[in-house]
Amino acid sequence: YRELCRWMKLVIREVIAVKKRVVAYMRDSKEEREKKFEKYSIERQIERLKTYAENQQWTEVKIFTDTEYSGSDMERPALQELIAQIKDDQVDVLLVDRMDRLSGSKHEMDNLLKLLSEHHCTLVCREEGIDTSDLAWKLIKKSGGMLS
């Protein structure tokens, strides 16, 4: 019986891991590159997100990167492609290293969160520990928002 339960847990874990369509988005800015902020380099973001995804047992993660773009510029090519895929319901989880990699604007971030919610896409921000599928996060959002 124990062996059967252990086997069933493994199967369920694999089904859940395979089922999720995970996309990682990363961005750096021209200023970060010029000042050699290694912490925000695309390479470091990839390392951190790869480790995070492995810990979540997300086996396939599609990567989108925009280099030398400000967080206030929402017309980034990879971000626009990602948004199109979200609108087409092709993404289950959007993984970012930090929330500011998506946008530096509260208004734009609120728009992105609304879009993600409308398309049943979870946002996971590694550094802030945000997971919009989490009940606690949903309660915070309903009680007046998190981004003030």
Side-chain angles (χ1 to χ4, degrees):
Y1 177 76
R2 283 184 188 202
E3 187 61 30
L4 177 62
C5 287
R6 190 176 74 72
W7 179 80
M8 286 177 65
K9 284 181 184 178
L10 290 172
V11 169
I12 290 169
R13 187 180 303 149
E14 285 300 312
V15 168
I16 290 169
V18 170
K19 195 173 181 181
K20 295 202 185 245
R21 296 167 296 175
V22 181
V23 170
Y25 176 79
M26 49 218 68
R27 170 193 68 77
D28 68 2
S29 68
K30 187 174 183 179
E31 178 184 357
E32 290 166 349
R33 282 183 174 242
E34 288 172 355
K35 292 184 179 179
K36 297 188 183 208
F37 286 148
E38 184 62 27
K39 179 179 179 181
Y40 303 119
S41 73
I42 296 295
E43 295 78 18
R44 291 295 306 269
Q45 290 177 65
I46 288 172
E47 287 172 19
R48 290 188 294 265
L49 294 182
K50 182 179 178 185
T51 299
Y52 187 92
E54 287 171 356
N55 290 338
Q56 299 301 311
Q57 297 180 338
W58 295 333
T59 55
E60 291 189 32
V61 179
K62 187 172 182 180
I63 306 270
F64 286 83
T65 60
D66 281 311
T67 56
E68 297 190 5
Y69 280 91
S70 166
S72 63
D73 180 359
M74 296 303 288
E75 296 304 316
R76 295 172 252 153
L79 180 62
Q80 290 305 309
E81 183 181 346
L82 170 59
I83 288 171
Q85 287 193 15
I86 291 167
K87 287 179 178 178
D88 287 340
D89 297 317
Q90 297 176 14
V91 180
D92 296 315
V93 178
L94 170 56
L95 175 62
V96 294
D97 192 44
R98 295 167 36 117
M99 192 173 282
D100 70 354
R101 300 297 91 188
L102 284 173
S103 177
S105 158
K106 178 192 178 310
H107 175 72
E108 292 297 342
M109 196 64 220
D110 284 343
N111 288 342
L112 282 170
L113 288 170
K114 183 178 178 189
L115 174 73
L116 293 169
S117 178
E118 288 170 353
H119 293 275
H120 309 287
C121 182
T122 298
L123 172 64
V124 175
C125 302
R126 185 204 59 84
E127 187 167 301
E128 292 91 348
I130 293 171
D131 179 340
T132 61
S133 69
D134 182 61
L135 179 59
W137 194 91
K138 289 177 182 178
L139 291 172
I140 290 169
K141 191 68 178 150
K142 281 191 179 208
S143 69
M146 179 170 172
L147 305 172
S148 36

